Amino acid sequence: MISELALDPGFGSAIGRGIGAIALYAVVGLGLMVFGFYAIDWTTPGKLSTLVRTGAPNAVIVTAAGLLSMALIVVVAIYSSEGKLDEGLLSALIYGLVGIVVQVLAVRLLEWVTRLDIGSLIESERFAPASAVVASAHFALGLVVAVAIS
């Protein structure tokens, strides 16, 4: 008894459209992540990319938490986008940009309220427990913004 694998006639084109959508959402997601990194870098005293490359532990912790929070925002923005591909990409881009801006402003406000000297904190070559507070603020506010997008 021989059985044949039968595929629907539109299977190939559906796969092609799916692969194209993945590629386009990946480009939008990557662009938002790059924008998110620079938004963190521009709004934080010091040059985060340099501090991370040199291994400043507090800069690494704060930057990693910031990137994770940005990723949450981008993922939820993409997940929440509905409709046709062009509308989904545009809504993911808009929600992602707004979410990143709101998240960065909220973290800077929280740092101001807690009176943390983030500049000297991230430039320190020794681990400072306050960097865990800043990292937690990044992550927590990223969650809040991500849920607000959904």
Side-chain angles (χ1 to χ4, degrees):
M1 175 177 270
I2 299 174
S3 62
E4 292 183 30
L5 180 63
L7 300 175
D8 287 333
F11 179 76
S13 63
I15 292 292
R17 282 191 308 275
I19 290 170
I22 290 169
L24 291 170
Y25 275 111
V27 168
V28 168
L30 178 62
L32 287 169
M33 290 299 299
V34 168
F35 175 74
F37 173 79
Y38 282 110
I40 296 168
D41 194 16
W42 292 328
T43 60
T44 305
K47 187 69 176 150
L48 277 181
S49 56
T50 301
L51 292 169
V52 168
R53 271 194 307 278
T54 60
N58 303 311
V60 170
I61 290 168
V62 169
T63 303
L67 288 173
L68 279 173
S69 70
M70 296 299 164
L72 285 169
I73 292 167
V74 170
V75 166
V76 172
I78 290 172
Y79 183 76
S80 297
S81 62
E82 297 178 7
K84 295 183 243 174
L85 180 60
D86 55 348
E87 293 171 359
L89 289 167
L90 186 57
S91 65
L93 181 64
I94 292 168
Y95 287 143
L97 288 172
V98 171
I100 288 168
V101 169
V102 168
Q103 200 270 350
V104 167
L105 293 174
V107 168
R108 297 287 85 85
L109 177 64
L110 189 62
E111 289 168 358
W112 178 78
V113 167
T114 59
R115 306 271 193 256
L116 287 173
D117 181 4
I118 190 70
S120 62
L121 176 78
I122 63 169
E123 290 177 0
S124 175
E125 293 186 19
R126 295 181 49 156
F127 170 72
S131 68
V133 173
V134 175
S136 296
H138 271 283
F139 192 72
L141 289 166
L143 280 172
V144 169
V145 171
V147 170
I149 289 171
S150 68

